[in-house]
Amino acid sequence: KQEVTQIPAALSVPEGENLVLNCSFTDSAIYNLQWFRQDPGKGLTSLLLIQSSQREQTSGRLNASLDKSSGRSTLYIAASQPGDSATYLCAVRSGGGADGLTFGKGTHLIIQP
Amino acid sequence: DTEVTQTPKHLVMGMTNKKSLKCEQHMGHRAMYWYKQKAKKPPELMFVYSYEKLSINESVPSRFSPECPNSSLLNLHLHALQPEDSALYLCASSRGLADPREQYFGPGTRLTVT
């Protein structure tokens, strides 16, 4: 059974810093990996999707990498802003056609003004 | 339009009530999903529909009954729920199960069972 772990569970940094969130998964047979953002009490906003054949994806100040063989992904946030404060969730879609996503527990990020 | 809509936003129901949650998308997606998210926990998959047919039921109790009337609409019928069923219920859609594209999530329905 696929398990997804995110480190750290919580992170608080001053505005302007670059930061890295980590995600690991136990079964490397994945179709894709998605990073989401969730604000308190809200739904999920998709940030980046990396297909299993890709190594990284970029969107604005966000860069996500994937090392499928080692079961790891990182989300890099450049020049952090207070508006980046949220919980960041990593999710993988595993093998087989009829699969939903398996989520990590998330990293709760606070950017101090 | 990359939007998944869910109604209602909030729902309070008693343990003897019958209610339904509704999810809608107009992106032409053929796979739709229900997830349950308890407070401070990650979302957990409940059901997957592919081409309006149920393809996954993750051992969800029968008091939750999904329905997919057409390719754009997904319902979750609720009956005789327990207080521990209080959670955020999230709907998602994707292009298709055989096409590993991203899943788009709705804003969720916050359910409280009293």
Side-chain angles (χ1 to χ4, degrees):
Chain A
K1 179 183 174 183
Q2 179 75 268
E3 293 184 2
V4 180
T5 302
Q6 290 187 246
I7 295 173
L11 182 62
S12 180
V13 300
E15 179 179 4
E17 285 200 6
N18 303 324
L19 53 98
V20 175
L21 308 182
N22 297 290
C23 172
S24 62
F25 45 95
T26 54
D27 185 351
S28 61
I30 65 170
Y31 276 122
N32 59 41
L33 182 146
Q34 244 177 299
W35 282 94
F36 293 90
R37 169 190 172 133
Q38 186 173 32
D39 293 289
K42 304 293 185 182
L44 278 65
T45 301
S46 180
L47 299 174
L48 288 165
L49 170 77
I50 309 179
Q51 303 284 11
S52 61
S53 59
Q54 297 176 321
R55 297 282 294 182
E56 66 178 325
Q57 283 287 324
T58 298
S59 176
R61 294 182 293 108
L62 305 179
N63 175 277
S65 68
L66 174 64
D67 184 343
K68 199 173 103 167
S69 60
S70 67
R72 294 181 182 180
S73 175
T74 61
L75 179 66
Y76 176 82
I77 303 176
S80 58
Q81 303 171 357
D84 295 330
S85 299
T87 295
Y88 290 80
L89 293 160
C90 167
V92 299
R93 185 177 174 206
S94 299
D99 270 0
L101 294 173
T102 301
F103 285 83
K105 292 184 178 181
T107 293
H108 180 54
L109 177 63
I110 296 175
I111 307 298
Q112 306 155 9
Chain B
D1 182 8
T2 58
E3 188 179 25
V4 176
T5 59
Q6 290 187 243
T7 54
K9 291 184 179 180
H10 301 276
L11 178 62
V12 179
M13 61 185 291
M15 289 188 285
T16 58
N17 293 157
K18 288 185 180 181
K19 297 287 184 183
S20 297
L21 310 184
K22 179 180 173 181
C23 172
E24 200 161 4
Q25 56 86 16
H26 296 287
M27 295 178 277
H29 289 176
R30 303 312 298 268
M32 297 186 76
Y33 313 77
W34 280 115
Y35 290 83
K36 174 182 177 178
Q37 186 178 25
K38 301 278 285 181
K40 300 188 185 302
K41 300 288 187 181
E44 293 181 344
L45 183 67
M46 299 175 71
F47 301 105
V48 180
Y49 271 83
S50 175
Y51 290 83
E52 296 99 69
K53 295 191 187 310
L54 182 66
S55 62
I56 288 183
N57 175 340
E58 291 284 359
S59 303
V60 179
S62 59
R63 57 185 184 267
F64 295 92
S65 176
E67 178 196 21
C68 191
N70 59 59
S71 60
S72 300
L73 190 57
L74 184 67
N75 299 319
L76 185 63
H77 302 298
L78 313 173
H79 173 55
L81 294 193
Q82 304 296 311
E84 59 264 29
D85 296 321
S86 299
L88 180 67
Y89 287 83
L90 295 162
C91 173
S93 71
S94 66
R95 183 172 295 192
L97 293 182
D99 184 352
R101 303 292 178 95
E102 63 188 304
Q103 290 189 20
Y104 294 88
F105 280 76
T109 293
R110 175 74 60 188
L111 174 67
T112 302
V113 181
T114 60

